[in-house]
Amino acid sequence: MPHPMGMHTIKSLSGIVSQDPAVHLNCRVHQTLALVAAKTSAVDLLYYRSLYDSHRVFEHCYLRKELRWSYPYPYTEGDDLRNVGFTIENRDRVGLEEFLELVSEGVARDEPVSFFAPRAEFEYQAEYLDRMGLPRSGFLPHSFLACGVNEPVTELLIRDDATDNHEFTDFVVPWQTVRAGWEADPEQWFTDILVLRGTGDDAVGPGHFGTAYTQHILGLEDEFEIYDLLHDRLAEEREGWEIFAAPGLNCLSMLAGARIQFCRFLRHTRHSDQLKETYRRNMKSLCAVLDEATLGHVEPTPSADARIKRGLHALKRRETNALRLLRHEAETFQDAGAEAVRFPEPSTH
């Protein structure tokens, strides 16, 4: 969208694009990954732990009764970010003038400011929540990405994924809305501030990720019982559950999102083409089951139920075989003293 006259924005604004087609990440993790991806293709290395015991997904969604967006995804931890050339600056809370100073400095340094605030205070977010059938209050808090401000200060530019296709776009918020919200409830505004800063150093290279990845994969055990548990539950949850809250759909979204990210990571490894293709096909199958189950939640049919059941049964078998092959290749690399991970080519951003 065109920006208002006098609006000063970060240089990399248009490069901030979605990294989460499965819409399973919480807003802060999603934003941080998008910021890293805007600067370097090495973002894919951060997904080396995207395969984890699927029973943890079941526990999160069913036993803890949590939404997928509250899961503690491990993709933006400090040591990993440092090894792709970034560090995080945090502040618990700032006031209005300090926030404005941070945004102005961020524009000059090409560093957006991520902050939490009551999401329904912004008109575009309230409209988005209504459109998606999400509650305006009592829902998960939202992190906003401040990417620009005009001069004199009358408007704030927010980059957000509050769109029907969950892609990032620009929203212009009246500064008066920001000021009025902060003055009315300063304890809820400009909290958990995060600024992602480039270190200015070359990234360390693949060694850190190769060692951490090999250790993670060789320690991973998964019986994939979740695929046995899901089919009957998906059908039972059609009554009384909104799509965004249904535990089975949350599980499938988390599993599909993890496989999408793992396929991105695999591109930068020495794993065989056979294995990469196996995980690509498994990812495609999971996404197909997620799409079918989401549609079936609203318009169930016996034929769709049969396809979902066959898909879940096949996925358990295919995921089990894929993990066995993955572990075998990782052990082979380790025994040969070969690095499992290759650092991506320098980004052209």
Side-chain angles (χ1 to χ4, degrees):
M1 62 178 292
H3 300 146
M5 292 291 292
M7 179 66 71
H8 303 291
T9 70
I10 61 168
K11 294 178 181 177
S12 59
L13 184 65
S14 62
I16 301 173
V17 298
S18 176
Q19 304 298 301
D20 181 26
V23 197
H24 73 298
L25 300 174
N26 67 62
C27 52
R28 174 57 62 81
V29 171
H30 187 204
Q31 289 167 358
T32 304
L33 291 171
L35 293 178
V36 175
K39 300 292 184 64
T40 174
S41 56
V43 63
D44 292 342
L45 299 184
L46 298 174
Y47 304 137
Y48 71 93
R49 285 187 288 174
S50 52
L51 288 190
Y52 42 84
D53 185 351
S54 59
H55 192 70
R56 289 167 54 190
V57 174
F58 183 82
E59 288 178 341
H60 180 80
C61 297
Y62 280 100
L63 303 187
R64 298 191 184 95
K65 304 185 187 305
E66 296 277 354
L67 298 177
R68 58 190 182 269
W69 300 300
S70 66
Y71 189 80
Y73 297 101
Y75 309 132
T76 56
E77 295 181 359
D79 198 33
D80 292 337
L81 286 172
R82 280 191 294 275
N83 277 277
V84 292
F86 295 91
T87 187
I88 285 177
E89 178 185 308
N90 291 108
R91 302 191 192 187
D92 291 338
R93 179 183 290 110
V94 299
L96 183 70
E97 294 306 316
E98 188 177 359
F99 171 74
L100 180 57
E101 183 178 339
L102 280 174
V103 174
S104 298
E105 292 175 354
V107 168
R109 297 165 60 105
D110 194 26
E111 295 172 347
V113 177
S114 181
F115 68 99
F116 281 88
R119 65 193 304 172
E121 293 287 326
F122 295 138
E123 183 177 355
Y124 82 86
Q125 265 286 337
E127 293 174 352
Y128 170 75
L129 293 170
D130 293 345
R131 211 163 56 245
M132 295 292 110
L134 301 173
R136 286 195 177 191
S137 61
F139 193 54
L140 293 171
H142 188 66
S143 172
F144 294 91
L145 202 58
C147 296
V149 66
N150 67 344
E151 189 178 349
V153 180
T154 61
E155 294 172 318
L156 182 70
L157 183 71
I158 301 288
R159 185 81 168 170
D160 207 343
D161 63 349
T163 56
D164 292 348
N165 65 354
H166 301 285
E167 185 53 83
F168 282 99
T169 193
D170 300 337
F171 297 92
V172 176
V173 176
W175 184 250
Q176 182 55 38
T177 299
V178 176
R179 178 184 290 277
W182 175 77
E183 289 176 344
D185 194 358
E187 294 296 308
Q188 299 300 315
W189 278 80
F190 311 132
T191 63
D192 194 7
I193 301 291
L194 180 151
V195 179
L196 186 72
R197 298 197 185 282
T199 61
D201 301 324
D202 291 334
V204 172
H208 164 81
F209 293 100
T211 300
Y213 164 69
T214 300
Q215 181 180 7
H216 173 70
I217 289 301
L218 294 184
L220 178 62
E221 300 287 345
D222 198 336
E223 299 297 327
F224 298 105
E225 311 102 305
I226 192 167
Y227 294 116
D228 293 329
L229 298 170
L230 277 179
H231 181 260
D232 291 341
R233 286 172 168 80
L234 287 169
E236 293 167 359
E237 290 161 15
R238 289 168 183 157
E239 297 294 331
W241 289 94
E242 297 287 347
I243 286 179
F244 78 89
L249 295 180
N250 274 265
C251 284
L252 286 174
S253 178
M254 291 175 68
L255 292 167
R259 291 346 180 242
I260 291 170
Q261 291 171 325
F262 190 63
C263 285
R264 291 174 177 171
F265 170 76
L266 279 178
R267 294 182 299 187
H268 311 296
T269 69
R270 298 181 185 275
H271 282 293
S272 66
D273 291 342
Q274 175 192 355
L275 182 132
K276 292 174 183 177
E277 179 62 15
T278 295
Y279 271 98
R280 190 191 70 81
R281 290 183 177 181
N282 288 356
M283 176 268 289
K284 291 287 188 182
S285 296
L286 248 173
C287 290
V289 171
L290 171 60
D291 289 345
E292 191 98 66
T294 302
L295 180 60
H297 191 85
V298 181
E299 299 177 0
T301 64
S303 59
D305 276 352
R307 287 193 297 273
I308 292 170
K309 185 173 184 178
R310 288 195 302 270
L312 292 171
H313 178 75
L315 276 165
K316 180 179 181 180
R317 171 179 51 81
R318 293 168 61 170
E319 290 255 63
T320 300
N321 292 338
L323 181 57
R324 186 182 302 117
L325 179 59
L326 182 73
R327 287 172 55 89
H328 172 71
E329 291 193 2
E331 288 172 348
T332 300
F333 299 147
Q334 185 179 60
D335 291 344
E339 289 283 1
V341 176
R342 301 184 179 100
F343 210 72
E345 292 297 321
S347 173
T348 57
H349 291 299

